[in-house]
Amino acid sequence: MKNVTVGEFIVETQNTFPGSSGELSKILSAIKLASKIVSHHINKAGLAKDILGSAGRDNVQGEDQQKLDVFANDTFINALSARGVICGVASEENDSYIAFDDKVNNDAKYVVLMDPLDGSSNIDVNVSVGTIFSVFRRISKQGSKVELADFLQAGDQQVAAGYLIYGSSTMLVYTTGTGVNGFTFDPGIGVFFLSHPDMKIPEDGKIYSVNEGNLAHFKQPVKEFIKFCQSEDTSNQKEPYSSRYIGSLVADFHRNLIKGGIYMYPSTKKSPNGKLRLTYECSPLAFLIEQANGRAISESGRIMDIVPSELHERVPYFVGSKNMVDQLEQMMHREDWKFQEKN
Ligand code: AHM
Ligand code: MG
């Protein structure tokens, strides 16, 4: 089989992007470069000094920033701004969006939103982490400074989305709206090769991923769905599903994409909007899962339909195999559970 690099793949498929002018390819190329630097740095964690641990400050959401969060954030922003192909970036690690306010970047037609290092609390214990990104066409005028509205678009408007997983190997998985493809990094050569063409999530799954420590605070339909996942029904040959929760969204998502399953971060009494961010985490992975024949919903409906009202908005999140999400959704909408009521 011919070894196809991600670079070759991007060039070969570029013509399928509507109105392609090569800019989207350059964005993916910048992401690819930054990810190699971040991957290399992560692999040294534990050996080199000054990589692990807290950066000693909180981000806008009051979360302790790790040194690697800051490193990954700076690396992706620098790679993206240097190419002159986006007019601005919004990151989970920054209070507000960053406008690349110069002639070249203002002429660009795209913006990027990202979670530069998702699951970073897992770094210190050598567990997989990831980067999630999302690309939109700006709605403000080309040639002008980027505006907040450019970043607050429904997930449906994404032109590309993807993630890097820094695991037993580093992988890039992305979509531009014509299916999902996965590339594995060969560190000896320094190149990503196409390893998972046209990824599809199995329609049915046998894995559920959720932080069950929060079970007591979930709403009744979610509790019932979890009970269903754990149940046995010999008349239907239903065996209990496996519970798998890494606590690193990208890693949980990636496993479920390949094997079939559902990832859930529901609302709780304490966090009525759950934990995950719509723009940096939920929407990009929703675009990917839909392109892979799966589904992503919130308590109010399809994730890709939600128009964010602020950059760091959180939403309850359920993503994975179509039949599993369908079933959960049916349970949510059962009249007698009055899902919208506080339990
Ligand atoms: P982060 O973006 O600050 O890393 O938080 C997101 C992470 C996800 O990767 C993961 O699925 C979730 O938080 C785990 O949260 P919890 O520890 O509450 O289960
Ligand atoms: Mg995150």
Side-chain angles (χ1 to χ4, degrees):
M1 190 177 97
K2 185 178 167 241
N3 283 332
V4 178
T5 69
V6 68
E8 288 167 343
F9 187 86
I10 291 170
V11 170
E12 275 168 28
T13 52
Q14 186 171 299
N15 296 335
T16 62
F17 308 152
S20 166
S21 55
E23 282 172 80
L24 193 50
S25 301
K26 286 187 191 148
I27 295 171
L28 291 170
S29 164
I31 288 171
K32 188 178 74 178
L33 171 66
S35 73
K36 289 184 194 176
I37 299 170
V38 170
S39 174
H40 181 66
H41 210 65
I42 286 173
N43 287 338
K44 289 190 295 184
L47 284 176
K49 279 188 194 153
D50 293 332
I51 293 187
L52 293 180
S54 165
R57 60 176 197 250
D58 289 352
N59 65 16
V60 66
Q61 292 141 96
E63 296 157 342
D64 181 29
Q65 275 185 319
Q66 304 291 301
K67 286 177 192 151
L68 267 167
D69 283 325
V70 177
F71 179 82
N73 196 35
D74 292 349
T75 305
F76 277 96
I77 291 173
N78 290 342
L80 287 163
S81 69
R83 304 273 166 131
V85 282
I86 61 169
C87 47
V89 65
S91 162
E92 192 183 296
E93 295 303 328
N94 294 107
D95 299 4
S96 186
Y97 66 90
I98 299 170
F100 298 152
D101 191 14
D102 58 61
K103 166 89 183 80
V104 176
N105 284 298
N106 281 343
D107 280 341
K109 52 177 186 278
Y110 296 107
V111 295
V112 169
L113 293 95
M114 62 171 181
D115 179 353
L117 203 63
D118 181 68
S120 56
S121 63
N122 280 318
I123 279 277
D124 290 5
V125 289
N126 214 340
V127 169
S128 303
V129 289
T131 298
I132 308 172
F133 62 90
S134 173
V135 184
F136 287 88
R137 193 166 284 118
R138 70 188 298 177
I139 50 180
S140 59
K141 229 173 113 241
Q142 257 177 277
S144 62
K145 192 173 160 185
V146 71
E147 293 169 15
L148 178 62
D150 295 320
F151 298 95
L152 299 182
Q153 301 186 55
D156 238 354
Q157 300 302 312
Q158 289 172 97
V159 293
Y163 61 83
L164 275 304
I165 177 165
Y166 311 104
S168 48
S169 56
T170 294
M171 274 191 76
L172 165 65
V173 177
Y174 79 90
T175 183
T176 52
T178 52
V180 177
N181 291 285
F183 302 82
T184 302
F185 185 58
D186 182 335
I189 312 176
V191 171
F192 284 93
F193 286 107
L194 179 63
S195 52
H196 295 63
D198 196 19
M199 298 172 84
K200 299 287 178 217
I201 185 168
E203 220 177 8
D204 277 308
K206 291 188 175 153
I207 294 174
Y208 71 103
S209 312
V210 65
N211 185 342
E212 281 180 84
N214 295 328
L215 185 72
H217 302 291
F218 294 158
K219 288 180 179 168
Q220 195 56 29
V222 176
K223 286 183 188 168
E224 290 293 333
F225 179 73
I226 293 172
K227 217 188 277 173
F228 166 79
C229 291
Q230 297 166 340
S231 68
E232 184 177 50
D233 179 356
T234 42
S235 62
N236 277 325
Q237 292 170 335
K238 155 84 176 60
E239 295 190 341
Y241 296 160
S242 292
S243 165
R244 295 278 182 273
Y245 188 70
I246 298 170
S248 220
L249 172 62
V250 171
D252 280 310
F253 179 92
H254 184 70
R255 182 204 50 243
N256 291 356
L257 171 60
I258 290 173
K259 295 191 168 183
I262 186 168
Y263 172 97
M264 302 179 271
Y265 209 107
S267 60
T268 62
K269 280 182 196 147
K270 231 171 83 191
S271 310
N273 297 320
K275 176 183 183 187
L276 300 180
R277 268 72 27 149
L278 172 62
T279 49
Y280 313 115
E281 293 162 327
C282 304
S283 263
L285 298 184
F287 188 21
L288 278 168
I289 209 75
E290 288 197 2
Q291 286 294 315
N293 287 353
R295 290 193 67 203
I297 61 168
S298 192
E299 288 171 4
S300 54
R302 182 175 173 247
I303 286 287
M304 297 266 280
D305 289 335
I306 306 174
V307 181
S309 47
E310 51 163 328
L311 274 180
H312 298 284
E313 184 170 332
R314 296 174 198 259
V315 283
Y317 194 48
F318 310 93
V319 61
S321 292
K322 181 180 173 305
N323 291 346
M324 295 179 95
V325 178
D326 283 355
Q327 173 142 20
L328 169 68
E329 190 175 45
Q330 277 167 22
M331 289 180 159
M332 281 179 181
H333 293 126
R334 263 177 58 171
E335 275 293 303
D336 49 336
W337 277 330
K338 295 197 174 61
F339 188 70
Q340 300 304 334
E341 281 184 15
K342 288 201 170 65
N343 55 8

